[in-house]
Coordinates of all heavy atoms in Angstrom, one line a residue:
M178 N 0.8 -1.2 0.0 CA 0.0 0.0 0.0 C 0.8 1.2 0.0 O 0.4 2.3 -0.4 CB -0.9 0.0 1.2 CG -2.1 -1.0 1.2 SD -3.1 -0.5 -0.2 CE -4.4 -1.7 -0.1
G179 N 2.1 1.2 0.5 CA 3.0 2.4 0.5 C 3.7 2.6 -0.8 O 4.5 3.4 -0.8
A180 N 3.4 1.9 -1.8 CA 4.1 2.1 -3.1 C 3.7 3.5 -3.7 O 2.7 3.9 -3.7 CB 3.8 1.0 -4.1
A181 N 4.8 4.1 -4.3 CA 4.6 5.4 -4.9 C 3.9 5.2 -6.3 O 4.2 4.3 -7.0 CB 5.9 6.1 -5.1
K182 N 2.9 6.1 -6.6 CA 2.3 6.0 -7.8 C 3.0 6.8 -8.9 O 3.4 7.9 -8.7 CB 0.9 6.7 -7.7 CG 0.1 6.6 -8.9 CD -1.3 7.2 -8.7 CE -1.9 7.0 -10.1 NZ -3.0 7.8 -10.5
T183 N 3.2 6.2 -10.1 CA 3.8 6.9 -11.2 C 2.9 6.9 -12.4 O 2.0 6.0 -12.5 CB 5.1 6.1 -11.6 OG1 4.7 4.8 -12.0 CG2 6.1 6.1 -10.4
D184 N 3.2 7.8 -13.2 CA 2.3 7.9 -14.5 C 2.7 6.9 -15.6 O 2.0 6.6 -16.5 CB 2.3 9.3 -15.1 CG 1.6 10.3 -14.1 OD1 0.7 9.8 -13.3 OD2 1.9 11.5 -14.2
D185 N 4.0 6.5 -15.5 CA 4.5 5.6 -16.5 C 4.4 4.2 -16.1 O 4.9 3.8 -15.0 CB 6.1 6.0 -16.7 CG 6.7 5.5 -18.0 OD1 5.9 4.7 -18.6 OD2 7.8 5.8 -18.2
L186 N 3.7 3.4 -16.9 CA 3.6 2.0 -16.7 C 4.8 1.2 -16.7 O 5.1 0.3 -15.8 CB 2.6 1.4 -17.7 CG 2.1 -0.1 -17.4 CD1 1.5 -0.2 -16.1 CD2 1.2 -0.5 -18.5
F187 N 5.7 1.4 -17.5 CA 7.1 0.8 -17.6 C 8.2 1.8 -17.6 O 8.7 2.3 -18.6 CB 7.2 0.1 -18.9 CG 6.1 -1.1 -19.1 CD1 5.0 -0.9 -19.9 CD2 6.2 -2.2 -18.3 CE1 4.1 -1.9 -20.0 CE2 5.2 -3.2 -18.3 CZ 4.1 -3.0 -19.3
P188 N 8.5 2.4 -16.4 CA 9.5 3.4 -16.3 C 10.9 3.1 -16.8 O 11.6 4.0 -17.1 CB 9.5 3.8 -14.8 CG 8.9 2.6 -14.1 CD 8.0 2.0 -15.1
E189 N 11.3 1.9 -16.7 CA 12.6 1.5 -17.1 C 12.7 1.3 -18.7 O 13.8 1.0 -19.1 CB 13.0 0.1 -16.4 CG 12.3 -1.1 -16.7 CD 10.8 -1.2 -16.1 OE1 10.5 -0.4 -15.2 OE2 10.1 -2.0 -16.5
V190 N 11.6 1.3 -19.4 CA 11.7 1.1 -20.8 C 11.5 2.4 -21.5 O 10.6 3.1 -21.3 CB 10.6 0.2 -21.4 CG1 10.6 -0.1 -22.7 CG2 10.6 -1.2 -20.6
H191 N 12.5 2.8 -22.5 CA 12.4 3.9 -23.2 C 13.2 3.9 -24.5 O 14.0 2.8 -24.6 CB 12.8 5.2 -22.4 CG 13.8 5.0 -21.4 ND1 15.2 5.0 -21.7 CD2 13.7 4.7 -20.1 CE1 15.9 4.9 -20.5 NE2 15.1 4.6 -19.6
N192 N 13.0 4.7 -25.4 CA 13.7 4.6 -26.7 C 15.2 4.8 -26.5 O 15.6 5.7 -25.6 CB 13.1 5.7 -27.7 CG 11.8 5.3 -28.0 OD1 11.3 4.2 -28.1 ND2 10.9 6.4 -28.3
P193 N 16.0 4.3 -27.4 CA 17.4 4.5 -27.4 C 17.8 6.1 -27.6 O 16.9 6.8 -28.3 CB 18.1 3.8 -28.5 CG 17.0 2.7 -28.9 CD 15.7 3.3 -28.4
E194 N 18.8 6.6 -27.0 CA 19.2 8.0 -27.1 C 19.4 8.3 -28.6 O 19.9 7.5 -29.5 CB 20.6 8.2 -26.4 CG 21.0 9.6 -26.4 CD 22.2 9.9 -25.6 OE1 22.3 9.1 -24.7 OE2 22.8 10.8 -25.9
G195 N 18.8 9.4 -29.0 CA 18.9 9.8 -30.4 C 17.8 9.3 -31.4 O 17.8 9.4 -32.6
T196 N 16.8 8.7 -30.8 CA 15.7 8.2 -31.6 C 14.4 9.0 -31.3 O 14.1 9.3 -30.1 CB 15.4 6.7 -31.1 OG1 16.6 5.9 -31.4 CG2 14.3 6.2 -32.0
Q197 N 13.8 9.5 -32.4 CA 12.5 10.2 -32.3 C 11.5 9.4 -33.0 O 11.7 9.1 -34.2 CB 12.7 11.6 -32.8 CG 13.6 12.6 -32.1 CD 13.0 12.9 -30.8 OE1 11.7 13.1 -30.7 NE2 13.8 13.1 -29.8
I198 N 10.4 9.1 -32.4 CA 9.2 8.5 -33.1 C 8.4 9.5 -33.6 O 7.8 10.3 -32.9 CB 8.6 7.5 -32.0 CG1 9.5 6.6 -31.4 CG2 7.4 6.8 -32.8 CD1 10.2 5.6 -32.4
V199 N 8.1 9.5 -34.9 CA 7.2 10.4 -35.6 C 5.8 9.9 -35.4 O 4.9 10.6 -35.0 CB 7.6 10.6 -37.0 CG1 6.6 11.6 -37.7 CG2 9.0 11.2 -37.2
N200 N 5.5 8.6 -35.8 CA 4.3 7.9 -35.7 C 4.5 6.4 -35.8 O 5.7 6.0 -35.7 CB 3.3 8.4 -36.8 CG 3.7 8.2 -38.2 OD1 4.5 7.2 -38.4 ND2 3.2 9.0 -39.1
E201 N 3.6 5.6 -35.9 CA 3.7 4.2 -35.9 C 4.6 3.7 -37.1 O 5.1 2.5 -37.1 CB 2.4 3.4 -35.9 CG 1.4 3.7 -37.0 CD 0.6 4.9 -36.9 OE1 0.7 5.6 -35.9 OE2 -0.1 5.3 -37.9
R202 N 4.7 4.4 -38.1 CA 5.4 4.0 -39.4 C 6.8 4.8 -39.4 O 7.7 4.2 -40.1 CB 4.6 4.4 -40.5 CG 3.4 3.5 -40.7 CD 2.7 3.9 -42.0 NE 2.2 5.3 -41.9 CZ 1.3 5.9 -42.6 NH1 0.7 5.2 -43.6 NH2 0.9 7.1 -42.4
C203 N 7.0 5.9 -38.8 CA 8.2 6.7 -39.2 C 9.0 7.0 -37.9 O 8.5 7.2 -36.8 CB 7.7 8.1 -39.7 SG 6.6 8.0 -41.1
M204 N 10.3 7.0 -38.1 CA 11.2 7.2 -36.9 C 12.5 7.9 -37.4 O 12.8 7.9 -38.6 CB 11.7 5.8 -36.5 CG 12.9 5.7 -35.6 SD 13.6 4.2 -35.2 CE 12.1 3.1 -35.1
I205 N 13.0 8.8 -36.6 CA 14.1 9.5 -36.9 C 15.3 9.2 -35.9 O 15.1 9.3 -34.8 CB 13.9 11.1 -37.0 CG1 12.8 11.4 -37.9 CG2 15.2 11.9 -37.2 CD1 12.2 12.8 -37.8
K206 N 16.4 8.8 -36.5 CA 17.6 8.4 -35.7 C 18.7 9.3 -36.0 O 19.1 9.6 -37.0 CB 18.0 7.0 -36.0 CG 16.9 5.9 -35.6 CD 17.4 4.5 -35.9 CE 17.8 3.7 -34.8 NZ 17.8 3.5 -33.6
T207 N 19.3 9.8 -34.8 CA 20.5 10.8 -34.9 C 21.6 10.2 -34.2 O 21.5 9.7 -33.0 CB 20.0 12.1 -34.3 OG1 18.8 12.6 -35.0 CG2 21.2 13.2 -34.5
Q208 N 22.8 10.1 -34.8 CA 24.0 9.7 -34.2 C 25.2 10.2 -34.9 O 25.2 10.2 -36.0 CB 24.0 8.1 -34.2 CG 25.2 7.5 -33.5 CD 25.1 5.9 -33.5 OE1 24.2 5.4 -34.0 NE2 26.1 5.3 -33.0
D209 N 26.2 10.6 -34.1 CA 27.4 11.1 -34.6 C 27.3 12.1 -35.7 O 28.0 12.1 -36.7 CB 28.3 9.9 -35.1 CG 28.6 9.0 -34.1 OD1 28.8 9.4 -32.9 OD2 28.7 7.8 -34.4
G210 N 26.4 13.1 -35.6 CA 26.3 14.2 -36.5 C 25.5 13.9 -37.7 O 25.4 14.7 -38.7
R211 N 24.8 12.7 -37.8 CA 24.1 12.2 -39.0 C 22.7 11.9 -38.5 O 22.5 11.5 -37.4 CB 24.8 11.0 -39.6 CG 26.2 11.1 -40.1 CD 26.3 11.8 -41.4 NE 25.7 11.2 -42.4 CZ 25.4 11.9 -43.5 NH1 25.8 13.0 -43.8 NH2 24.7 11.3 -44.5
R212 N 21.8 12.1 -39.5 CA 20.4 11.7 -39.2 C 19.9 10.8 -40.3 O 20.1 11.1 -41.5 CB 19.6 13.0 -39.0 CG 18.2 12.9 -38.6 CD 17.6 14.2 -38.3 NE 18.0 14.6 -37.0 CZ 18.1 15.8 -36.5 NH1 17.8 16.9 -37.4 NH2 18.7 16.2 -35.4
V213 N 19.0 9.9 -39.9 CA 18.3 8.9 -40.8 C 16.9 9.0 -40.6 O 16.5 8.9 -39.4 CB 18.8 7.5 -40.7 CG1 18.2 6.5 -41.6 CG2 20.4 7.5 -40.9
V214 N 16.1 9.2 -41.6 CA 14.6 9.1 -41.5 C 14.3 7.8 -42.1 O 14.5 7.5 -43.2 CB 14.0 10.3 -42.3 CG1 12.5 10.3 -42.3 CG2 14.6 11.6 -41.8
L215 N 13.6 7.0 -41.3 CA 13.1 5.7 -41.6 C 11.5 5.6 -41.7 O 10.8 6.1 -40.8 CB 13.6 4.7 -40.6 CG 15.0 4.5 -40.4 CD1 15.3 3.9 -39.1 CD2 15.6 3.7 -41.5
V216 N 11.0 4.9 -42.7 CA 9.6 4.7 -43.0 C 9.5 3.3 -43.2 O 10.0 2.6 -44.1 CB 9.0 5.5 -44.2 CG1 7.6 5.1 -44.3 CG2 9.3 7.0 -44.0
S217 N 8.8 2.6 -42.2 CA 8.6 1.2 -42.1 C 9.9 0.4 -42.3 O 10.0 -0.6 -43.0 CB 7.5 0.7 -43.3 OG 6.4 1.3 -43.0
G218 N 11.0 0.9 -41.8 CA 12.2 0.3 -41.8 C 13.2 0.6 -43.0 O 14.2 0.1 -43.1
I219 N 12.6 1.3 -43.9 CA 13.3 1.7 -45.2 C 13.7 3.2 -45.1 O 13.0 4.1 -44.6 CB 12.4 1.6 -46.3 CG1 11.9 0.2 -46.5 CG2 13.0 2.1 -47.7 CD1 10.8 -0.1 -47.5
V220 N 15.0 3.4 -45.4 CA 15.5 4.7 -45.3 C 14.9 5.7 -46.3 O 15.0 5.4 -47.6 CB 17.1 4.7 -45.5 CG1 17.7 6.1 -45.6 CG2 17.8 3.9 -44.5
L221 N 14.4 6.8 -45.9 CA 13.8 7.8 -46.8 C 14.8 8.8 -47.0 O 14.9 9.4 -48.2 CB 12.5 8.3 -46.2 CG 11.8 9.6 -46.9 CD1 11.1 9.0 -48.1 CD2 10.9 10.2 -46.1
A222 N 15.6 9.2 -46.0 CA 16.5 10.2 -46.1 C 17.6 10.0 -45.1 O 17.5 9.5 -44.1 CB 15.9 11.6 -45.9
S223 N 18.9 10.4 -45.6 CA 20.0 10.3 -44.7 C 20.8 11.6 -45.0 O 21.1 12.0 -46.1 CB 20.9 9.1 -45.0 OG 22.0 9.1 -44.3
Y224 N 21.2 12.4 -43.9 CA 21.8 13.6 -44.0 C 22.6 14.1 -42.8 O 22.3 13.4 -41.8 CB 20.8 14.8 -44.4 CG 19.7 14.9 -43.4 CD1 19.7 15.9 -42.5 CD2 18.4 14.1 -43.6 CE1 18.8 16.0 -41.5 CE2 17.5 14.3 -42.7 CZ 17.6 15.3 -41.7 OH 16.5 15.4 -40.8
A225 N 23.5 15.0 -42.9 CA 24.2 15.6 -41.8 C 23.2 16.4 -41.1 O 22.3 17.2 -41.7 CB 25.4 16.3 -42.3
V226 N 23.3 16.5 -39.7 CA 22.5 17.3 -38.8 C 22.6 18.7 -39.3 O 21.6 19.4 -39.2 CB 22.9 17.0 -37.4 CG1 22.0 18.0 -36.5 CG2 22.5 15.6 -37.0
T227 N 23.7 19.2 -39.7 CA 23.9 20.6 -40.0 C 23.3 21.0 -41.4 O 23.3 22.1 -41.8 CB 25.4 21.0 -40.0 OG1 26.1 20.2 -40.9 CG2 25.9 20.8 -38.6
D228 N 22.9 20.1 -42.2 CA 22.4 20.3 -43.5 C 20.9 20.6 -43.5 O 20.1 19.8 -43.5 CB 22.7 19.0 -44.4 CG 22.3 19.3 -45.9 OD1 21.7 20.3 -46.2 OD2 22.6 18.5 -46.7
R229 N 20.6 21.9 -43.4 CA 19.2 22.4 -43.2 C 18.3 22.1 -44.5 O 17.2 21.9 -44.4 CB 19.2 23.8 -42.8 CG 19.8 24.1 -41.6 CD 18.9 23.5 -40.4 NE 19.7 23.6 -39.2 CZ 19.7 22.7 -38.2 NH1 18.9 21.6 -38.3 NH2 20.3 22.9 -37.0
M230 N 19.0 22.2 -45.7 CA 18.3 21.9 -46.8 C 17.7 20.5 -47.0 O 16.7 20.2 -47.3 CB 19.1 22.3 -48.1 CG 18.2 22.3 -49.4 SD 16.9 23.5 -49.3 CE 17.7 24.8 -50.3
A231 N 18.7 19.6 -46.6 CA 18.3 18.2 -46.6 C 17.3 17.9 -45.6 O 16.4 17.0 -45.8 CB 19.5 17.3 -46.4
E232 N 17.4 18.5 -44.4 CA 16.4 18.3 -43.4 C 14.9 18.8 -43.8 O 14.0 18.1 -43.6 CB 16.8 19.0 -42.1 CG 15.8 18.8 -40.9 CD 16.3 19.4 -39.7 OE1 16.4 20.8 -39.7 OE2 16.4 18.7 -38.7
A233 N 14.9 20.0 -44.4 CA 13.7 20.5 -45.0 C 13.1 19.6 -46.1 O 11.9 19.3 -45.9 CB 13.9 21.9 -45.5
Y234 N 13.9 19.1 -46.9 CA 13.4 18.1 -48.0 C 12.8 16.8 -47.3 O 11.8 16.3 -47.7 CB 14.6 17.7 -48.9 CG 14.2 16.8 -50.0 CD1 13.4 17.2 -51.1 CD2 14.5 15.5 -49.9 CE1 13.0 16.4 -52.1 CE2 14.0 14.5 -50.9 CZ 13.3 15.0 -51.9 OH 12.9 14.2 -53.0
A235 N 13.5 16.3 -46.3 CA 13.1 15.1 -45.6 C 11.7 15.4 -44.9 O 10.7 14.5 -45.1 CB 14.1 14.6 -44.6
M236 N 11.6 16.5 -44.2 CA 10.4 16.9 -43.5 C 9.1 16.9 -44.5 O 8.0 16.4 -44.3 CB 10.5 18.1 -42.8 CG 11.4 18.0 -41.6 SD 11.5 19.5 -40.5 CE 12.0 20.8 -41.6
V237 N 9.4 17.7 -45.6 CA 8.3 17.9 -46.6 C 8.0 16.6 -47.3 O 6.9 16.3 -47.6 CB 8.8 19.0 -47.6 CG1 7.8 19.1 -48.8 CG2 8.8 20.3 -46.8
S238 N 9.0 15.7 -47.5 CA 8.8 14.4 -48.2 C 7.9 13.5 -47.3 O 6.9 12.9 -47.9 CB 10.1 13.7 -48.5 OG 10.9 14.4 -49.4
L239 N 8.0 13.5 -46.0 CA 7.2 12.8 -45.1 C 5.8 13.2 -45.2 O 4.8 12.4 -45.3 CB 7.7 12.9 -43.7 CG 8.9 12.1 -43.3 CD1 9.4 12.5 -41.8 CD2 8.5 10.6 -43.4
V240 N 5.5 14.5 -45.3 CA 4.2 15.0 -45.4 C 3.6 14.8 -46.7 O 2.5 14.3 -46.8 CB 4.2 16.6 -45.0 CG1 2.8 17.1 -45.1 CG2 4.6 16.7 -43.5
E241 N 4.2 15.2 -47.8 CA 3.7 15.1 -49.1 C 3.4 13.7 -49.6 O 2.5 13.5 -50.3 CB 4.7 15.7 -50.1 CG 4.6 17.2 -50.2 CD 5.3 17.9 -51.3 OE1 6.3 17.1 -51.9 OE2 5.0 18.9 -51.7
Q242 N 4.2 12.7 -49.0 CA 4.0 11.3 -49.4 C 3.0 10.7 -48.4 O 2.7 9.5 -48.7 CB 5.3 10.5 -49.4 CG 6.3 11.0 -50.4 CD 7.6 10.4 -50.4 OE1 7.8 9.2 -49.8 NE2 8.6 11.0 -50.9
G243 N 2.5 11.5 -47.5 CA 1.5 10.8 -46.7 C 1.8 10.0 -45.6 O 1.0 9.3 -45.0
W244 N 3.1 9.9 -45.3 CA 3.7 9.1 -44.2 C 3.4 9.6 -42.8 O 3.3 9.0 -41.8 CB 5.1 8.8 -44.3 CG 5.5 8.1 -45.5 CD1 6.2 8.5 -46.6 CD2 5.1 6.7 -45.9 NE1 6.3 7.5 -47.5 CE2 5.7 6.4 -47.1 CE3 4.3 5.8 -45.2 CZ2 5.5 5.2 -47.7 CZ3 4.2 4.5 -45.8 CH2 4.7 4.3 -47.1
A245 N 3.3 11.0 -42.7 CA 3.1 11.7 -41.4 C 2.5 13.1 -41.7 O 2.5 13.6 -42.8 CB 4.5 11.9 -40.7
S246 N 1.9 13.5 -40.6 CA 1.3 14.9 -40.7 C 2.3 16.0 -40.3 O 3.3 15.7 -39.8 CB 0.1 15.0 -39.7 OG 0.6 15.0 -38.3
Q247 N 2.0 17.2 -40.7 CA 2.9 18.3 -40.4 C 3.1 18.4 -38.8 O 4.2 18.6 -38.5 CB 2.2 19.6 -40.9 CG 2.3 19.9 -42.2 CD 1.6 21.3 -42.5 OE1 0.5 21.4 -43.0 NE2 2.3 22.3 -42.1
H248 N 2.1 18.2 -38.1 CA 2.2 18.3 -36.7 C 3.1 17.3 -36.1 O 3.9 17.5 -35.2 CB 0.7 18.2 -36.0 CG 0.8 18.3 -34.6 ND1 1.0 19.5 -34.0 CD2 0.5 17.4 -33.6 CE1 0.9 19.4 -32.6 NE2 0.7 18.2 -32.4
Q249 N 3.0 15.9 -36.6 CA 3.8 14.8 -36.2 C 5.3 15.2 -36.4 O 6.2 14.9 -35.6 CB 3.4 13.5 -36.8 CG 2.0 13.1 -36.3 CD 1.6 11.8 -37.2 OE1 1.9 11.7 -38.3 NE2 0.8 11.0 -36.5
V250 N 5.6 15.6 -37.6 CA 7.0 15.8 -38.1 C 7.6 17.1 -37.2 O 8.7 16.9 -36.7 CB 7.1 16.2 -39.6 CG1 8.5 16.6 -40.0 CG2 6.6 15.0 -40.4
A251 N 6.8 18.0 -37.0 CA 7.2 19.2 -36.3 C 7.6 18.9 -34.9 O 8.5 19.3 -34.2 CB 6.2 20.3 -36.3
N252 N 6.7 18.0 -34.2 CA 7.0 17.6 -32.8 C 8.2 16.7 -32.8 O 9.0 16.9 -31.8 CB 5.8 16.7 -32.4 CG 4.6 17.6 -31.8 OD1 4.8 18.8 -31.7 ND2 3.4 17.0 -31.7
A253 N 8.4 15.8 -33.7 CA 9.6 15.0 -33.6 C 10.9 15.8 -33.8 O 11.9 15.5 -33.2 CB 9.5 14.0 -34.7
L254 N 10.9 16.8 -34.6 CA 12.0 17.5 -35.0 C 12.2 18.9 -34.2 O 13.1 19.6 -34.3 CB 12.3 17.9 -36.4 CG 12.5 16.6 -37.2 CD1 12.5 16.9 -38.7 CD2 13.9 16.1 -36.9
G255 N 11.2 19.2 -33.2 CA 11.3 20.3 -32.4 C 11.2 21.6 -33.1 O 11.9 22.6 -32.9
C256 N 10.3 21.7 -34.1 CA 10.2 23.0 -34.9 C 8.7 23.3 -35.1 O 7.8 22.5 -34.6 CB 10.9 22.9 -36.3 SG 10.1 21.6 -37.3
S257 N 8.4 24.4 -35.7 CA 7.0 24.9 -36.0 C 6.4 24.1 -37.0 O 7.1 23.7 -38.0 CB 7.0 26.4 -36.2 OG 5.9 26.8 -36.8
T258 N 5.1 23.9 -37.0 CA 4.4 23.3 -38.0 C 4.4 24.1 -39.3 O 4.4 23.5 -40.4 CB 2.9 23.0 -37.8 OG1 2.3 24.2 -37.4 CG2 2.7 22.0 -36.6
R259 N 4.6 25.4 -39.3 CA 4.8 26.2 -40.4 C 6.1 25.9 -41.2 O 6.2 26.0 -42.4 CB 4.7 27.7 -40.1 CG 3.4 28.1 -39.7 CD 3.3 29.6 -39.5 NE 3.4 30.2 -40.8 CZ 2.7 31.2 -41.3 NH1 1.7 31.6 -40.6 NH2 2.9 31.6 -42.4
T260 N 7.1 25.4 -40.4 CA 8.4 25.1 -41.0 C 8.2 23.9 -41.8 O 8.9 23.6 -42.9 CB 9.3 24.8 -39.9 OG1 9.5 25.9 -39.0 CG2 10.7 24.4 -40.5
V261 N 7.3 23.0 -41.6 CA 7.1 21.7 -42.2 C 6.1 21.8 -43.5 O 5.9 20.8 -44.1 CB 6.6 20.6 -41.3 CG1 6.6 19.2 -41.9 CG2 7.5 20.6 -40.1
R262 N 5.6 23.0 -43.6 CA 4.5 23.2 -44.7 C 5.1 22.8 -46.0 O 6.1 23.3 -46.5 CB 4.0 24.6 -44.7 CG 2.9 24.8 -45.6 CD 2.2 26.1 -45.3 NE 1.7 26.1 -44.0 CZ 1.1 27.1 -43.4 NH1 1.1 28.2 -43.9 NH2 0.6 27.0 -42.1
P263 N 4.4 21.9 -46.7 CA 4.9 21.5 -48.1 C 4.5 22.6 -49.0 O 3.7 23.4 -48.7 CB 4.1 20.2 -48.3 CG 3.0 20.2 -47.4 CD 3.3 21.0 -46.3
R264 N 5.1 22.5 -50.2 CA 4.8 23.5 -51.3 C 3.4 23.5 -51.6 O 2.7 22.4 -51.5 CB 5.7 23.4 -52.4 CG 5.5 22.0 -53.1 CD 6.5 21.8 -54.3 NE 6.6 20.5 -54.7 CZ 5.8 19.9 -55.7 NH1 4.9 20.7 -56.2 NH2 5.9 18.7 -55.9
S265 N 2.9 24.6 -52.0 CA 1.4 24.5 -52.4 C 1.1 23.9 -53.7 O 2.0 23.9 -54.6 CB 0.9 25.9 -52.4 OG 1.6 26.8 -53.3
A266 N 0.0 23.3 -53.9 CA -0.3 22.6 -55.2 C -0.5 23.6 -56.2 O -1.0 24.8 -56.0 CB -1.5 21.8 -54.9
P267 N -0.1 23.3 -57.5 CA -0.3 24.3 -58.6 C -1.7 24.5 -58.9 O -2.7 23.6 -58.7 CB 0.3 23.6 -59.8 CG 0.6 22.2 -59.3 CD 0.5 22.1 -57.8
V268 N -2.0 25.7 -59.2 CA -3.4 26.2 -59.5 C -3.7 26.0 -60.9 O -3.0 26.1 -61.8 CB -3.6 27.6 -59.1 CG1 -5.1 28.0 -59.3 CG2 -3.2 27.8 -57.6

């Protein structure tokens, strides 16, 4: 009865360092200055963490191809949803 209540059901289980889960299909792994975007285990993009153009391309690719929402990608990479906005469709 004296056990402390925690919100986490499995407090000792967590993702490896440098791993961001976007959703059930997408994951972003960062290690040694490199980043890999995985979709269902397949590499969608691989780039240096300092390469902002490659990062933007990877973010927009996830959204445009329907793998993740703007909100999910923005949360995983710690940026604004406006940053992840894909190009507008031609009129």
Side-chain angles (χ1 to χ4, degrees):
M178 289 293 183
K182 182 179 178 197
T183 63
D184 292 338
D185 196 356
L186 186 58
F187 300 105
E189 67 281 350
V190 178
H191 30 92
N192 292 327
E194 187 176 331
T196 301
Q197 291 292 326
I198 303 299
V199 178
N200 60 27
E201 64 278 353
R202 295 179 291 194
C203 306
M204 163 187 328
I205 300 170
K206 296 180 103 17
T207 305
Q208 183 178 358
D209 298 329
R211 302 285 303 165
R212 187 168 283 153
V213 176
V214 179
L215 299 160
V216 177
S217 298
I219 299 171
V220 176
L221 176 72
S223 175
Y224 57 92
V226 172
T227 57
D228 188 349
R229 296 294 173 212
M230 189 63 104
E232 180 176 62
Y234 180 76
M236 290 189 300
V237 170
S238 293
L239 283 171
V240 175
E241 281 191 342
Q242 293 176 24
W244 296 115
S246 70
Q247 280 180 259
H248 185 69
Q249 290 171 332
V250 174
N252 281 342
L254 291 172
C256 62
S257 163
T258 54
R259 292 187 67 131
T260 305
V261 186
R262 186 166 296 172
R264 62 185 166 88
S265 58
V268 181

